[in-house]
Amino acid sequence: MSAERYVALGSSMAAGPGIQPREARSPRAAGRSAANYPHLVARSLGLDLVDVTYSGATTAHVLIESQRGVPPQVDALDGTEALVTVTIGGNDAGYVPMLFAAGLPRFARSVPFVGARLRELLDPAARDRALAEVGESLVEVGRTLRRRAPHATVLFVDYLTLLPPPGVAAPPLREADVALGRRVAATLERLTADAAAQTGCGVVGAAEASREHHAWSGRPWTTRFGWPVPRRPAPLHPNAEGMRAVAEMVVAAGP
């Protein structure tokens, strides 16, 4: 008897760039780890995993757009799935790119061409405009997954908490930028929950569960700002412990 099918969709927060070992058959640009939460969930539940998570993915890459020649992620669904998970929306809102921009030296904001993009990422009004569009996109993701995988448990998995609470420093990020990051993260968490509720999907509250495990905590589930290092978890992304924690939550909520 063959195992039930599990399709995992989403961006780098699900793919797990830099967490060893890399999934050998995946495109290098995907940043897909063989120890990300989809792989851990599949092993725990004995499911047949199809992991199409891809670093840099947006809701459009889940729904309709090719990414680096790879078809839209929903094309992996064939209607026989027992479980579908999706972690998406942060790239639409510019969440982690904003935090990277915040960590760069301030003079970088004056560099021609690059500086304009950095200033846009750090502009609260621009982030609010991006977030205003994310909610509808997440609802469309939920509707599409429910339609394409009618027999599956469909779970939105929100983002692990990256930033500390107010009053706790997050060097080298400045407090004003951290406050903006918290606002973006809180809005993404709320929009994800709303989309799940509107579309009959479940939600795994990784953000809530990881409040005390932010990147500047004593036992972090995510990594701090820094420069990428080969074979190490990507900056401002989940680490191996964070992936294990999310996997346990998904298993608890799964089929």
Side-chain angles (χ1 to χ4, degrees):
M1 182 176 176
S2 61
E4 293 184 300
R5 198 165 188 262
Y6 165 29
V7 175
L9 309 96
S11 64
S12 57
M13 292 297 193
I19 299 174
Q20 297 302 305
R22 186 181 74 85
E23 187 188 74
R25 296 170 296 174
S26 65
R28 285 196 174 273
R32 197 178 300 152
S33 169
N36 62 14
Y37 79 73
H39 281 78
L40 300 178
V41 168
R43 287 198 286 272
S44 179
L45 296 179
L47 299 174
D48 182 13
L49 174 64
V50 178
D51 185 355
V52 293
T53 60
Y54 208 109
S55 295
T58 65
T59 53
H61 293 127
V62 169
L63 294 169
I64 58 172
E65 288 186 7
S66 170
Q67 186 176 8
R68 294 177 177 261
V70 176
Q73 294 183 17
V74 294
D75 286 5
L77 300 172
D78 65 11
T80 66
E81 293 77 24
L83 176 64
V84 176
T85 59
V86 59
T87 298
I88 204 69
N91 287 321
D92 298 59
Y95 176 39
V96 171
M98 186 220 87
L99 295 177
F100 269 105
L104 295 174
R106 287 187 65 83
F107 74 80
R109 303 177 195 184
S110 301
V111 175
F113 305 111
V114 173
R117 173 57 174 159
L118 297 179
R119 293 192 300 273
E120 191 271 341
L121 284 168
L122 294 165
D123 178 7
R127 292 309 98 229
D128 287 343
R129 288 192 295 271
L131 285 165
E133 299 179 4
V134 174
E136 291 184 8
S137 297
L138 290 171
V139 169
E140 185 57 33
V141 168
R143 287 176 179 153
T144 301
L145 299 185
R146 280 262 49 100
R147 184 175 68 250
R148 297 280 291 266
H151 308 296
T153 296
V154 179
L155 299 173
F156 280 93
V157 182
D158 68 16
Y159 289 76
L160 286 167
T161 295
L162 287 169
L163 298 169
V168 178
L173 309 182
R174 298 161 63 92
E175 179 52 36
D177 296 329
V178 173
L180 175 58
R182 286 194 203 98
R183 194 171 91 208
V184 172
T187 305
L188 284 170
E189 182 180 357
R190 174 178 57 81
L191 293 173
T192 301
D194 289 349
Q198 289 182 49
T199 58
C201 301
V203 62
V204 174
E208 174 64 29
S210 57
R211 300 275 192 245
E212 297 181 359
H213 296 280
H214 59 82
W216 282 262
S217 70
R219 190 183 172 192
W221 289 354
T222 51
T223 56
R224 300 182 184 188
F225 173 85
W227 299 108
V229 176
R231 301 180 62 82
R232 297 286 298 276
L236 297 169
H237 277 79
N239 60 23
E241 187 171 358
M243 282 297 186
R244 288 192 293 269
V246 174
E248 289 175 4
M249 290 181 256
V250 174
V251 168

